[in-house]
Amino acid sequence: MIIFGAGGDLTRRKLMPALFRLAGAGMLADDFTVLGVAREAMDDDLFRAAIRTALEQFLPPEEATKEALDKFVPRLHYVAGDFAEAATYAAVQERLTVLETGRPADGGRLFYLAIPPSVYATAIDHLAQSGVARRLYAQSDRPWVRVIIEKPFGSSLESAQALNGVVRRAFSEHQIYRIDHYLGKETVQNLLVCRFANSIFEPLWNRQHIHHVQITAVETVGVERRGRYYEEAGVVRDMFQNHLLQLLTLTAMEPPVTFSADAVRDEKAKVLHAIRPITPATMHEYSVRGQYGPGTIDGSAVRGYRTEPDVSPDSGTATYAAVRFMIDNWRWQGVPFYLRSAKRMPRRATEIAIQFRQPPHLMFPLRDGEAFEPNVLAIRVQPNEGISLRFEVKTPGVDVRMASVEMDFNYVEAFGDNGHEAYETLILDCMLGDATLFTRSDEVEAAWSVVDPMIEFWGHKAPDHFPNYAAGTWGPSVADEWIHALGCRWRQP
Ligand code: BG6
């Protein structure tokens, strides 16, 4: 595995811990080797020392033991170089030739682009031209060559199309793995099993029975040290174009004919194509945006977005967005999908909540102050991964009174905590040649077509009411008013 950007945060925080765990679990070949490539002047020993420190920092001490680290770090090698220079790729090729000598001839090369998006195109061109990574015409070709590309894949439909053009000139689609780490999360995959390996949900999974769907991904963190990136991205590019729309496709897609990469991705792409376009004229009916001001998180005072490092003091960037998507097909006609994501919320939570319709007639009288709650199936992606179903029961006593209760499935209670991380699943899938959990070029482009009008409209008109929610609260009051006017209310996951 050749990691471009081996000196960066992603490598230290996510990729190396994932590889270390896969190695520990015996999932990697004995002669599996990593070649790190980055600008920093380092040799193998310094690189190994840096990664050892990172593993000690990001993994619990009982996992990052001296013995396990001593076994893992000798697999790491390093080449220093600039991604824009041909000499770097020549040096990589030279090193790979040495490393691959004496190994089975069918060993693959997996390239991981953990580099800034601005250098993707340059690196891909060089990879192909230098011969370090070859185009393969058939999935079965050996030795295989695959490329994982990190998000963001483009910053608009146009730039994503251009990048897809660059990537396709160098590789065949079956070699390209566009990563969205949400697809590697355990509960996200469980959504597919739940929907398609049970017979009780599918008959209800449509406009006849579902009133609306709420997909929420909210965080307590602010923009941290990523102000420069976030000023350009905002919440729609950062979370909606990829993670949230991916959750929506898995929730809404038709049953694929097989659990194969193309069958699943065909169905997901159809959902994206069926999303009703949002236009400047309908923007206010379909979306609400916000930006956090100063506030309190977990008892500590935190600054507002506009005073974060590298953020403009009059920034119009949204850190909160709620959007109502309508899917114009037979299954979902008339069912709103409310997607919401934000930074600096009171809790970190990602969930998909399916709210069912109320019974057509309620024969039990409600007393003053009593409310009748609809059934909700909530799929908790994180934390506290699991699934719960809310339904009404009679409370004990002579009177007929109702209360809501929950049946709950909790991953840790049921199976114990295996601390499994999304990157482990995804890197292993890529090594095995399974692209089911990676996004195909048509999906990426369709997702950009969905969000582009919103980004463009919001880019033109900086709101004068920002900041409109305090850090540590559940978002702007306009978002509550907006959803109430549509006959729903936000869940607090
Ligand atoms: C990333 C975004 O893709 O996902 C971040 O760039 C966000 O802004 C992160 O914090 C959330 O991921 P997770 O796995 O912590 O929910």
Side-chain angles (χ1 to χ4, degrees):
M1 178 164 168
I2 304 96
I3 304 177
F4 286 83
D9 234 30
L10 181 72
T11 302
R12 294 179 332 110
R13 280 173 188 269
K14 298 289 182 190
L15 305 186
M16 286 297 170
L19 290 172
F20 177 81
R21 285 182 152 177
L22 287 172
M27 309 294 266
L28 301 181
D30 288 342
D31 57 356
F32 171 80
T33 300
V34 176
L35 179 61
V37 188
R39 276 172 157 222
E40 292 85 344
M42 275 192 281
D43 59 10
D44 287 356
D45 286 341
L46 280 175
F47 181 55
R48 288 171 186 168
I51 298 300
R52 179 185 274 270
T53 309
L55 291 170
E56 284 166 345
Q57 185 183 350
F58 297 115
L59 287 172
E62 63 278 14
E63 271 191 68
T65 60
K66 181 174 178 319
E67 197 195 352
L69 290 167
D70 285 348
K71 232 167 124 185
F72 180 74
V73 294
R75 291 165 176 257
L76 311 178
H77 303 263
Y78 187 78
V79 165
D82 188 323
F83 302 122
E85 285 176 17
T88 305
Y89 301 84
V92 168
Q93 177 61 57
E94 203 176 302
R95 218 34 207 290
L96 286 175
T97 310
V98 175
L99 291 171
E100 286 172 348
T101 304
R103 296 183 187 224
D106 64 349
R109 285 184 180 179
L110 164 52
F111 294 88
Y112 201 116
L113 301 190
I115 52 181
S118 54
V119 280
Y120 284 165
T122 315
I124 290 164
D125 278 343
H126 275 299
L127 274 177
Q129 279 160 24
S130 63
V132 179
R134 332 182 264 126
R135 173 193 280 283
L136 300 177
Y137 292 93
Q139 178 101 39
S140 55
D141 281 353
R142 291 284 181 277
W144 54 260
V145 173
R146 297 180 190 129
V147 187
I148 299 185
I149 305 178
E150 263 297 329
K151 79 167 259 270
F153 194 92
S155 55
S156 62
L157 174 60
E158 205 183 334
S159 57
Q161 281 169 332
L163 184 56
N164 271 328
V166 171
V167 188
R168 275 202 232 98
R169 270 201 304 281
F171 304 107
S172 301
E173 182 67 32
H174 69 80
Q175 296 178 268
I176 310 165
Y177 288 69
R178 297 172 194 78
I179 202 163
D180 183 319
H181 77 279
Y182 266 57
L183 295 182
K185 291 185 190 274
E186 204 66 56
T187 321
V188 173
Q189 295 171 69
N190 193 25
L191 171 60
L192 292 182
V193 176
C194 241
R195 281 194 61 193
F196 302 126
N198 293 294
S199 57
I200 55 172
F201 298 118
E202 197 50 26
L204 305 179
W205 213 263
N206 56 48
R207 62 191 298 277
Q208 264 87 41
H209 301 284
I210 294 178
H211 182 263
H212 74 272
V213 176
Q214 286 187 27
I215 301 181
T216 302
V218 291
E219 308 177 273
T220 51
V221 291
V223 289
E224 300 177 294
R225 281 167 308 172
R226 300 196 304 156
R228 190 161 303 137
Y229 153 77
Y230 204 85
E231 278 285 87
E232 288 292 313
V235 64
V236 177
R237 283 195 178 101
D238 190 46
M239 295 292 290
F240 277 70
Q241 186 275 338
N242 35 70
H243 311 320
L244 269 88
L245 282 177
Q246 285 295 321
L247 297 182
L248 178 143
T249 59
L250 294 172
T251 309
M253 72 181 186
E254 294 301 313
V257 279
T258 58
F259 190 46
S260 67
D262 276 332
V264 171
R265 298 186 298 176
D266 285 346
E267 296 306 334
K268 285 166 63 198
K270 282 186 209 162
V271 174
L272 292 167
H273 289 302
I275 292 179
R276 187 179 303 164
I278 301 177
T279 62
T282 57
M283 194 67 64
H284 65 283
E285 288 171 41
Y286 284 94
S287 61
V288 182
R289 60 180 156 163
Q291 185 192 76
Y292 65 83
T296 310
I297 300 262
D298 289 336
S300 307
V302 296
R303 55 173 76 193
Y305 176 71
R306 289 177 172 187
T307 58
E308 298 278 15
D310 298 321
V311 170
S312 153
D314 55 1
S315 171
T317 301
T319 60
Y320 175 107
V323 184
R324 177 168 63 107
F325 288 110
M326 302 303 290
I327 301 175
D328 286 332
N329 64 17
W330 277 51
R331 186 188 285 265
W332 295 117
Q333 191 52 238
V335 180
F337 282 70
Y338 293 100
L339 271 53
R340 173 177 52 150
S341 182
K343 300 243 180 238
R344 287 292 190 218
M345 295 269 111
R347 266 201 296 281
R348 171 178 187 248
T350 300
E351 70 156 33
I352 300 164
I354 315 289
Q355 182 166 322
F356 292 91
R357 289 188 183 283
Q358 304 244 0
H361 166 66
L362 192 64
M363 62 184 182
F364 309 107
L366 290 176
R367 276 154 251 237
D368 279 354
E370 276 183 351
F372 178 72
E373 295 295 336
N375 300 131
V376 176
L377 180 72
I379 297 154
R380 294 188 303 273
V381 175
Q382 63 191 21
N384 190 22
E385 287 82 346
I387 299 180
S388 66
L389 178 66
R390 182 174 77 189
F391 57 101
E392 295 294 290
V393 294
K394 177 189 170 302
T395 56
V398 287
D399 282 357
V400 177
R401 305 193 80 154
M402 289 182 296
S404 299
V405 291
E406 285 198 350
M407 271 198 307
D408 198 51
F409 152 68
N410 179 294
Y411 256 99
V412 176
E413 275 171 27
F415 300 112
D417 186 6
N418 71 3
H420 188 76
E421 282 256 2
Y423 276 94
E424 293 168 52
T425 306
L426 296 173
I427 292 173
L428 189 65
D429 276 4
C430 177
M431 290 180 186
L432 296 171
D434 181 352
T436 313
L437 300 176
F438 292 82
T439 44
R440 209 169 50 188
S441 57
D442 54 340
E443 281 182 80
V444 173
E445 291 179 15
W448 278 118
S449 319
V450 169
V451 296
D452 259 5
M454 226 174 338
I455 294 171
E456 204 174 310
F457 182 77
W458 285 355
H460 281 310
K461 224 174 144 286
D464 39 26
H465 55 280
F466 272 9
N468 59 354
Y469 71 99
T473 65
W474 282 101
S477 54
V478 286
D480 295 333
E481 291 150 19
W482 172 76
I483 200 167
H484 289 165
L486 292 160
C488 301
R489 65 173 194 268
W490 292 119
R491 282 172 55 79
Q492 291 199 350

